[in-house]
Amino acid sequence: FQLQASGGGLVQTGGSLEVSCVVSGGNFYAIGWFRQAPGKDREVVSCVSSGGGTTYYADSVKGRFTIRRDNAKNTVFLQMNSLKPEDTAVYYCAADRDFDPLVHGLVYGIDYWGQGTQVTVSS
């Protein structure tokens, strides 16, 4: 089972960016996006259930970010709009058989992690 994140980059404040996570090994896992800024703990950003019907957003990104999964393409997308400098971080995708560990940001108990992709928002 593998997760491959991509799509990060440099964008100006107010801009948009979409990161994606290719899931290899099955679509039976809930997927979450986390981020970690320098000197800060890794935090949950958004999650989607295995079927795509349930989503979660951290308060800091509600109304600006949208998560969706395309199981036919084995990919989970995170569309990020109205980006702010405080969104700058390394973004990681993660997978767990259960939705709750992702929603509660239980970093050390999550089943799988992908490598990170850097998102930088310039002011």
Side-chain angles (χ1 to χ4, degrees):
F1 188 89
Q2 284 188 323
L3 302 168
Q4 181 74 36
S6 63
L10 173 64
V11 65
Q12 291 185 330
T13 296
S16 298
L17 203 61
E18 183 176 74
V19 290
S20 43
C21 177
V22 176
V23 182
S24 301
N27 290 312
F28 306 110
Y29 290 80
I31 302 295
W33 282 99
F34 288 70
R35 67 187 180 188
Q36 188 166 19
K40 295 190 176 180
D41 292 334
R42 193 169 297 190
E43 62 176 2
V44 60
V45 175
S46 182
C47 312
V48 61
S49 60
S50 58
T54 302
T55 57
Y56 165 84
Y57 297 94
D59 287 344
S60 59
V61 306
K62 275 181 186 175
R64 301 189 297 122
F65 290 13
T66 303
I67 192 170
R68 64 182 176 90
R69 70 187 298 161
D70 184 338
N71 283 343
K73 295 181 179 179
N74 300 319
T75 304
V76 176
F77 303 92
L78 183 69
Q79 175 68 41
M80 303 181 290
N81 298 327
S82 302
L83 283 161
K84 305 174 182 181
E86 51 263 44
D87 295 317
T88 295
V90 177
Y91 282 69
Y92 299 89
C93 55
D96 199 278
R97 290 189 180 272
D98 297 317
F99 194 59
D100 282 352
L102 297 169
V103 170
H104 293 103
L106 302 178
V107 172
Y108 295 105
I110 288 169
D111 292 338
Y112 299 100
W113 289 93
Q115 92 294 357
T117 185
Q118 176 72 45
V119 172
T120 303
V121 184
S122 63
S123 57

